């Protein structure tokens, strides 16, 4: 199938990511079928698309006529078979639970036209495993968007063991057609690029709170004064603590138990405080985005610690052959989080020797083997 053969895109799941991906597809001119398991979920997704398009209209990015045209090009469904029976490309954005995803892919394989590509927006799970439930693993691929999908530019295009080159290229071209920055992930590996590099930061952020070394607001204020668009804890709330929790359970199971969700995160999940989506998480979101008191910035927190563990993790992706080049990693990290620089660009400025030494210290100080510097980091010169 060629890019111009794609006329209709079906999106499974109308939540935070699903509705955003459907909107991105509408903006790129496609007909869209949006499906969720209950009518109220699809209604809510449709309402959010309407609101977001209205926001773009107010900013004069699109005309009133274009907005109306897009709202006329989307249909909503509860029945999966009806949603995908004319789809050329399907993007799944259901909860981060492997069994749920496998169930959906089994149904998609039965109901979607034979030529259709089946993509998963999973944030960390194995594309190979998801594909194994279908009779078309060569047409199953990862297509990982970032939240909010309409704003964030990165799309990770992930190759499962059996994904063929035609599917990879098509998905790459589709992401570019959607005005995104696609980055190829050549090897199906837990967390792919962005979330894998973020995983050791979550260990560190977990330790700081669990051991009462710092309060989230003190770290967020510090990081915001250094230019991050959101503090790291605020971002967890924004993404959804449930998503972070499920994703870290999965990473822990596949990589090492050190990546398991920290105690405070478990407590939030038990209390049902999932972040922005429930109005309460680490922060109170009931009146909109939390206001972080910048005067609480913890000056002694060295932001280089977060950079050090991230650069170190990034070198593991190079060692494992997950990406072709360090530039791809920088590109992904810049466009996935609206950062000014990628990890290797930062490392060249700070110095690999300094970062390797800090990783060694952090590994000892907190007893975390995942922080130990890799041979690649120690060698530097990347
Ligand atoms: N629809 C349309 N436009 C939107 C929008 C939406 N839903 N949300 C934000 N925008 C636009 C705003 O209109 C604004 O546009 P402008 O630059 O033309 O004025 C721009 O985005 C920025 O928004 P604001 O300045 O108004 O500030 P916000 O608080 O609305 O911005 C944010 C929110 C864009 C989310 C910003 O805080 C940010 O970039 N945060 C970091 C997000 C991030 O790192 N995401 C990655 C998460 S990891 C992930 O998703 C992986 C997954 O697997 C878990």
């Amino acid at each position: 199938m060629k890019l111009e053969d794609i006329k209709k895109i079906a999106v499974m799941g109308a939540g935070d990511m699903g509705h955003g991906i459907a909107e991105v597809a509408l903006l790129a001119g496609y007909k869209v079928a949006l499906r969720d398991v209950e009518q109220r979920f699809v209604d809510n997704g449709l309402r959010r698309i309407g609101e977001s398009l209205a926001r773009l209209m107010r900013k004069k990015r699109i005309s009133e006529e274009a907005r109306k045209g897009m709202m006329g090009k989307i249909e909503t469904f509860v029945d999966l078979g009806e949603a995908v029976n004319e789809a050329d490309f399907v993007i799944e954005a259901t909860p981060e639970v492997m069994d749920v995803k496998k169930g959906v892919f089994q149904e998609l394989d039965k109901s979607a036209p034979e030529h259709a590509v089946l993509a998963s927006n999973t944030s960390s799970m194995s594309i190979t495993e998801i594909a194994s439930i279908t009779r078309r693993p060569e047409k199953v691929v990862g297509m990982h968007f970032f939240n909010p999908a309409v704003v964030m530019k990165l799309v990770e295009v992930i190759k499962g063991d059996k994904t063929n080159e035609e599917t990879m290229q098509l998905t790459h071209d589709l992401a570019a057609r959607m005005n995104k920055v696609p980055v190829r992930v050549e090897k199906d590996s837990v967390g792919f690029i962005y979330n894998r590099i973020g995983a050791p930061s979550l260990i560190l952020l977990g330790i700081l709170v669990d051991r009462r070394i710092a309060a989230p607001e003190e770290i967020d204020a510090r990081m915001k004064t250094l230019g991050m668009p959101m503090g790291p804890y605020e971002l967890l709330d924004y993404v959804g603590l449930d998503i972070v929790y499920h994703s870290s359970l999965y990473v822990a199971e596949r990589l090492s138990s050190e990546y398991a969700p920290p105690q405070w995160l478990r407590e939030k999940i038990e209390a049902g405080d999932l972040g922005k989506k429930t109005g309460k998480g680490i922060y109170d979101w009931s009146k909109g985005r939390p206001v972080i008191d910048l005067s609480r910035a913890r000056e002694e927190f060295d932001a280089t610690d977060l950079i050090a563990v991230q650069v170190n993790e990034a070198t593991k992706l190079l060692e494992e052959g997950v990406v072709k080049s360090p530039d791809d990693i920088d590109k992904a990290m810049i466009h996935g989080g609206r950062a000014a620089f990628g990890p290797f660009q930062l490392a060249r400025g700070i110095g690999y020797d300094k970062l390797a030494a800090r990783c060694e210290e952090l590994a000892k100080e907190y007893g975390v083997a995942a922080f130990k510097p890799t041979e690649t980091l120690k060698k530097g010169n990347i």
Side-chain angles (χ1 to χ4, degrees):
M1 188 172 37
K2 294 201 187 71
L3 183 61
E4 50 276 24
D5 298 328
I6 302 177
K7 306 282 182 231
K8 188 170 184 180
I9 296 180
V11 180
M12 302 295 106
D16 278 341
M17 293 311 296
H19 93 274
I21 295 168
E23 182 184 349
V24 167
L26 287 171
L27 285 162
Y30 292 103
K31 278 199 247 165
V32 173
L34 180 64
R35 184 260 176 182
D36 211 317
V37 290
E38 284 185 40
Q39 192 59 42
R40 64 193 171 108
F41 297 147
V42 268
D43 289 347
N44 195 36
L46 193 61
R47 177 187 59 75
R48 292 175 75 184
I49 292 172
E51 282 171 8
S52 179
L53 289 177
R55 192 165 163 173
L56 295 177
M57 208 179 75
R58 283 198 299 277
K59 300 217 164 205
K60 310 237 181 297
R61 299 263 173 80
I62 57 168
S63 65
E64 161 82 64
E65 204 186 349
R67 190 190 71 87
K68 275 199 191 131
M70 284 182 237
M71 291 310 280
K73 276 187 170 179
I74 182 164
E75 284 180 284
T76 58
F77 298 89
V78 170
D79 187 278
L80 183 143
E82 283 177 26
V84 301
N85 66 10
E86 286 175 356
D88 305 301
F89 201 101
V90 183
I91 307 173
E92 168 275 327
T94 62
E96 283 295 285
V97 179
M98 183 52 93
D99 286 345
V100 172
K101 296 207 184 280
K102 279 188 172 168
V104 169
F105 270 77
Q106 201 165 25
E107 278 191 70
L108 288 176
D109 192 34
K110 278 192 211 130
S111 306
E114 236 170 76
H115 71 274
V117 165
L118 309 180
S120 175
N121 176 59
T122 177
S123 56
S124 54
M125 297 184 162
S126 166
I127 301 302
T128 307
E129 193 173 335
I130 294 172
S132 69
I133 203 85
T134 72
R135 291 159 304 173
R136 60 178 105 181
E138 72 290 350
K139 290 200 179 83
V140 177
V141 66
M143 191 179 193
H144 182 209
F145 290 79
F146 291 74
N147 191 3
V150 69
V151 178
M152 309 310 281
K153 287 282 183 195
L154 175 64
V155 172
E156 293 176 336
V157 178
I158 305 122
K159 193 173 182 332
D161 283 359
K162 295 195 174 153
T163 313
N164 65 18
E165 185 49 35
E166 188 190 336
T167 303
M168 282 296 282
Q169 193 58 48
L170 182 69
T171 309
H172 183 280
D173 293 349
L174 177 62
R177 170 89 178 70
M178 289 172 161
N179 200 21
K180 298 292 173 197
V181 176
V183 174
R184 284 177 67 116
V185 179
E186 303 293 344
K187 197 170 144 193
D188 189 11
S189 160
V190 178
F192 318 124
I193 305 173
Y194 192 91
N195 285 333
R196 171 71 183 273
I197 292 177
S201 317
L202 189 61
I203 303 182
L204 192 56
L205 296 172
I207 290 173
L208 294 177
V209 175
D210 279 352
R211 301 190 195 174
R212 298 183 194 282
I213 298 167
E217 195 172 8
E218 293 171 340
I219 303 296
D220 280 355
R222 172 86 174 125
M223 297 310 287
K224 277 176 75 92
T225 54
L226 295 175
M228 272 184 80
M230 273 187 177
Y233 294 96
E234 182 190 12
L235 185 59
L236 299 178
D237 260 359
Y238 183 77
V239 164
L241 296 183
D242 53 335
I243 293 180
V244 178
Y245 174 79
H246 286 299
S247 170
S248 31
L249 277 182
Y250 182 82
V251 178
E253 196 186 294
R254 309 280 160 136
L255 279 185
S256 133
S257 59
E258 288 181 339
Y259 294 90
Q263 187 54 34
W264 63 263
L265 180 54
R266 291 175 190 274
E267 286 164 13
K268 292 281 174 206
I269 301 299
E270 274 161 29
D273 295 336
L274 308 183
K276 182 183 174 212
K277 67 176 78 165
T278 57
K280 194 170 167 227
I282 301 165
Y283 294 100
D284 181 2
W285 290 76
S286 58
K287 295 184 196 74
R289 195 169 160 188
V291 180
I292 300 201
D293 178 0
L294 298 185
S295 73
R296 290 194 64 198
R298 198 179 176 86
E299 302 298 335
E300 45 306 8
F301 177 72
D302 188 352
T304 320
D305 288 359
L306 283 174
I307 297 171
V309 296
Q310 290 196 7
V311 176
N312 191 39
E313 204 73 13
T315 61
K316 296 179 193 172
L317 293 181
L318 292 179
E319 288 180 352
E320 293 163 20
V322 176
V323 272
K324 276 205 182 122
S325 74
D327 289 351
D328 276 350
I329 294 184
D330 280 343
K331 189 155 95 173
M333 297 310 283
I334 289 169
H335 293 288
R338 291 169 98 211
F341 301 101
F344 293 112
Q345 291 169 330
L346 289 170
R348 282 175 214 129
I350 300 168
Y352 284 97
D353 48 346
K354 198 171 160 199
L355 293 175
R358 191 58 194 139
C359 282
E360 199 80 70
E361 283 165 14
L362 287 168
K364 279 208 192 93
E365 192 176 335
Y366 297 128
V368 176
F371 294 160
K372 277 197 186 136
T374 61
E375 288 310 313
T376 308
L377 185 72
K378 285 194 257 182
K379 244 194 273 156
N381 199 21
I382 303 158

